[in-house]
Amino acid sequence: MTDKNNTPEAQQAEDALKQEELTEPAGSKATAPTRTLWSDAWKRLKRNKLAMLGAIWIIFMVIVAVSAPLWAPSVLGDPTAADSATMTANSRLIPSLEHPFGTDTLGRDVLCRVVYGARVSLAVGVLATAISTAIGLIMGALAAYYGGIWDTIIMRLADVFMAFPYTLFVIAMIAVMGNGIQNVFIAIGILGWPSIARVFRSAILTVKENDYVDAARAMGASDLRIIARHIFPNSVASIVVYATMNIGGAILTESALSYLGMGVVPPDPSWGNLISDGQTYLATQPWLMLMPGLAILTTVLAFTLLGDGLRDALDVKMKDA
């Protein structure tokens, strides 16, 4: 009986397999590293110089703001207290090595007050955006996943919120709740949810009809599990971009409120009330207004650049770019 393994055809196949193994590049059998959306996005983000510059500036500001109590009072002086004995001699000094941003009318170091103002602005930006994002995600998920009457009610409620001028709406809420930093981020957070809800609703509508969602539903997965495990991870990219840009908008809103005297209460420093205090001396001591203004400009610009970079990096159409 002829052995099938010794047939000419089998011998030729075996020789071809050996030749393929000899010519195969070393290491090609190793499993290729898994590429995910976030790893691809990080590779593209690193190539975006403006976005990385914005990220570096944000990290720098966060480090300076968080560590300020450890070094600022001992190096630059108290940001709120004024020494009546030296007030006249130290009032509105020009920028120098001792006072890089100069001093204000009460002799307090402007750099120290700008640094402490960064603590307020960054905290308001992050906390207010977190509140609005949380509310927006819940509302957007309910509207998109269940549709029908839920979609109608939530979207019409969002239309009502967006029909009012945003800044005037925030001012009205602050007038009702009273001044204070906690009321500022609550007002900004509550009034910022409609736009995030719309973005998340649109993202969910494009995802929820996919086959893997239908498969999870057919296997008996609960609505909460489907939203949390299948829909949200595939819709979160647009929210990350929008929330990053929203932080800059929240910082601008807080600065406007403090400028109008409805945000942070003096003598606590905020970039907005620093500009308000310094505008009187714009012609003679411009640094009192320009320094906090530059802090607002650079920080908001950094969040905008980072948000633009994240938008391009998380775009699935650019996956092979």
Side-chain angles (χ1 to χ4, degrees):
M1 183 178 294
T2 305
D3 190 355
K4 292 183 179 180
N5 293 330
N6 294 328
T7 61
E9 292 80 1
Q11 187 64 36
Q12 290 177 2
E14 185 177 352
D15 293 341
L17 181 60
K18 290 180 179 180
Q19 183 66 25
E20 183 178 353
E21 290 177 351
L22 291 175
T23 57
E24 188 175 3
S28 61
K29 290 185 178 181
T31 303
T34 303
R35 294 180 62 186
T36 64
L37 171 66
W38 299 105
S39 62
D40 287 340
W42 171 241
K43 289 172 62 177
R44 288 192 294 271
L45 185 63
K46 288 191 296 184
R47 295 198 294 264
N48 190 325
K49 292 183 174 57
L50 289 178
M52 293 306 297
L53 181 62
I56 291 171
W57 180 254
I58 292 170
I59 294 172
F60 171 74
M61 290 295 294
V62 170
I63 293 174
V64 169
V66 171
S67 64
L70 302 177
W71 59 270
S74 59
V75 175
L76 302 172
D78 195 294
T80 57
D83 188 353
S84 58
T86 60
M87 184 185 304
T88 303
N90 293 333
S91 178
R92 298 197 297 276
L93 297 178
I94 64 173
S96 62
L97 291 177
E98 185 178 2
H99 303 287
F101 287 5
T103 60
D104 65 2
T105 306
L106 299 180
R108 297 171 297 194
D109 188 90
V110 175
L111 174 58
C112 186
R113 289 177 63 77
V114 168
V115 169
Y116 273 80
R119 293 169 61 86
V120 172
S121 294
L122 292 174
V124 169
V126 172
L127 292 176
T129 301
I131 293 173
S132 60
T133 301
I135 298 174
L137 291 180
I138 295 173
M139 293 295 192
L142 291 175
Y145 188 76
Y146 292 106
I149 188 64
W150 283 101
D151 191 16
T152 302
I153 293 175
I154 293 173
M155 288 299 102
R156 297 299 76 78
L157 182 62
D159 290 340
V160 171
F161 272 77
M162 298 181 72
F164 292 94
Y166 177 73
T167 304
L168 292 180
F169 209 165
V170 174
I171 291 174
M173 286 197 65
I174 294 296
V176 173
M177 296 189 299
N179 293 0
I181 185 64
Q182 68 279 3
N183 292 335
V184 170
F185 65 72
I186 290 174
I188 296 174
I190 291 176
L191 298 180
W193 72 266
S195 55
I196 293 180
R198 286 182 175 276
V199 172
F200 194 45
R201 173 180 176 271
S202 299
I204 289 179
L205 288 176
T206 62
V207 171
K208 75 170 188 175
E209 301 300 331
N210 288 331
D211 293 339
Y212 56 83
V213 176
D214 293 335
R217 190 181 292 112
M219 294 176 65
S222 64
D223 292 342
L224 181 60
R225 180 178 178 84
I226 292 174
I227 293 174
R229 296 293 300 273
H230 301 286
I231 293 180
F232 179 78
N234 292 283
S235 307
V236 72
S238 58
I239 300 302
V240 170
V241 174
Y242 198 87
T244 303
M245 293 185 172
N246 232 25
I247 295 176
I251 291 174
L252 280 177
T253 303
E254 182 277 324
S255 299
L257 291 173
S258 296
Y259 176 82
L260 296 173
M262 304 188 69
V264 178
V265 180
D268 293 332
S270 167
W271 289 342
N273 62 30
L274 289 178
I275 292 177
S276 178
D277 294 340
Q279 67 176 349
T280 306
Y281 309 98
L282 180 60
T284 55
Q285 288 89 25
W287 59 86
L288 295 177
M289 183 176 177
L290 292 179
M291 297 308 181
L294 286 174
I296 296 174
L297 172 64
T298 54
T299 304
V300 174
L301 179 61
F303 278 107
T304 302
L305 293 175
L306 180 58
D308 284 337
L310 287 173
R311 180 189 59 197
D312 295 337
L314 292 170
D315 188 356
V316 294
K317 296 178 182 178
M318 300 179 64
K319 186 173 182 180
D320 296 329

